[in-house]
Amino acid sequence: MALLFLSTPEREAVWRPIFEAAGERFIAGEDAVTDPDEVTHLMCWLPPQDLLRYPNLKVVIGAGAGVDHMPRMPEGVALVRTLAPGIDEMVRDWVVMATLMLHRDMPTYVQQARAGQWKGHAVPRARGTCVGIMGAGRIGALAARTLSDMQFDVVCWSRSGRAVAGAKVFAENGLDDFLAQADILVCLLPLTDETRGILDAALFAKLPRGASLVHAGRGAQLDMDALRQALDDGVLSSAMVDVTDPEPLPEDHWAWNDHRVFVTPHIAANTDHEEGARHALAVIRASRENAELPGKVDQDRGY
Ligand code: GLV
């Protein structure tokens, strides 16, 4: 039983000692594989083309929270995404930052500052402002709890409709009612066939007029042309996006120079190396015991 590790030297420097201390076999790089039969687990952002080279491969562990870029695994190979508290907390922090920046009208204040203009406007309160979170998994639920502690009204929309502390939850068929309440819409959805392009003109039109968009899902969920039109029409007033399609966002893209939009370069979170290694060890132990794999992806559902 061995983990084949396909990632950076910096990450290897953290993972290798943790695996060695745990007594687990750790192979870094395909060139270091002497016996493909011993590879049972593989850690990577993207797997190599020829996974069938490893006949005893049981689990592929994706390096991040999202697995939309992963191919379908061969029969009998499970796909796991990394579960790490740091990812949840970092994305939550970014969402809270973005929500506050838009709620407190930073687009206007940044623009005024560039012009050396000292001018205050009415100060909105969190209380009475509704944040609508699309996607209520680990990250969405954490963001919901924090924003609700800050006195925002929080509603969530999720496929399962599972309860979330501090939030009213709308299930799949409640999308329109959910949108009608969301003064600030936060997208944390995984990218699937159902969510590709979901942030479009029709959806924006269902939000309260002048709503704001916070996007930390995946770039392909957002129609950037529709965003621009919605901003121009007053349907939306501002947006902050950490994910774009394509990434990197081209240098001459309109969004860079539009004061109503803040773009960050997919930095909401990264995976803490140690937490990633500990999660991988937990996956290996669970697969040895035939127990449920933490972070196992339902490959039909896509997340
Ligand atoms: C980053 O977006 C990730 O999927 O971890």
Side-chain angles (χ1 to χ4, degrees):
M1 214 169 191
L3 174 89
L4 173 56
F5 173 91
L6 303 180
S7 187
T8 61
E10 296 78 47
R11 192 178 251 144
E12 182 188 341
V14 177
W15 279 55
R16 184 182 285 284
I18 291 174
F19 269 68
E20 283 172 1
E24 294 288 352
R25 179 127 169 76
F26 180 90
I27 306 170
E30 288 199 277
D31 290 350
V33 176
T34 48
D35 176 9
D37 283 358
E38 74 171 327
V39 174
T40 48
H41 295 75
L42 171 70
M43 182 279 179
C44 59
W45 177 256
L46 253 188
Q49 291 279 325
D50 188 13
L51 281 178
L52 299 176
R53 183 176 165 216
Y54 306 107
N56 296 319
L57 184 65
K58 285 195 174 77
V59 186
V60 170
I61 304 171
V67 289
D68 47 280
H69 57 287
M70 285 277 191
R72 178 105 200 174
M73 295 298 137
E75 191 62 35
V77 178
L79 175 62
V80 158
R81 66 195 181 87
T82 292
L83 300 185
I87 297 179
D88 308 344
E89 290 160 13
M90 284 182 250
V91 179
R92 183 271 317 268
D93 294 350
W94 186 92
V95 165
V96 170
M97 172 186 69
T99 299
L100 289 175
M101 283 178 69
L102 302 183
H103 173 62
R104 297 299 298 261
D105 201 11
M106 280 308 116
T108 297
Y109 288 109
V110 169
Q111 198 188 29
Q112 286 187 186
R114 296 284 166 269
Q117 200 180 10
W118 177 285
K119 185 176 169 200
H121 303 274
V123 179
R125 292 189 65 171
R127 203 180 292 280
T129 301
C130 179
V131 181
I133 303 178
M134 304 177 86
R138 290 164 55 107
I139 300 172
L142 185 59
R145 199 173 339 131
T146 305
L147 289 162
S148 127
D149 283 348
M150 297 173 75
Q151 274 69 55
F152 284 100
D153 296 337
V154 182
V155 293
C156 292
W157 178 68
S158 76
R159 183 152 145 159
S160 71
R162 206 176 30 236
V164 172
K168 176 170 179 199
V169 181
F170 292 81
E172 208 168 1
N173 60 6
L175 180 60
D176 287 3
D177 292 336
F178 160 85
L179 292 170
Q181 301 193 22
D183 301 309
I184 300 174
L185 181 69
V186 176
C187 179
L188 289 169
L189 292 167
L191 180 62
T192 64
D193 289 344
E194 287 80 39
T195 69
R196 190 174 300 278
I198 191 168
L199 301 175
D200 63 3
L203 180 140
F204 296 149
K206 292 175 182 163
L207 293 166
R209 190 167 172 81
S212 294
L213 172 69
V214 170
H215 186 30
R218 284 290 189 250
Q221 291 161 339
L222 172 61
D223 178 342
M224 288 291 261
D225 293 335
L227 171 62
R228 187 182 205 176
Q229 193 63 52
L231 290 165
D232 288 347
D233 294 346
V235 168
L236 291 180
S237 56
S238 58
M240 183 149 180
V241 301
D242 186 55
V243 288
T244 60
D245 184 22
E247 290 182 8
L249 191 67
E251 218 179 299
D252 59 355
H253 195 277
W254 65 267
W256 289 120
N257 293 310
D258 189 312
H259 82 278
R260 301 164 298 185
V261 183
F262 292 115
V263 179
T264 55
H266 204 142
I267 46 71
N270 53 30
T271 308
D272 177 272
H273 296 333
E274 179 171 344
E275 286 183 359
R278 303 247 171 251
H279 171 253
L281 281 179
V283 169
I284 291 170
R285 284 193 198 112
S287 72
R288 190 174 282 138
E289 290 160 13
N290 283 324
E292 191 172 335
L293 303 177
K296 184 167 179 205
V297 172
D298 176 336
Q299 294 192 61
D300 290 326
R301 203 176 58 171
Y303 62 97

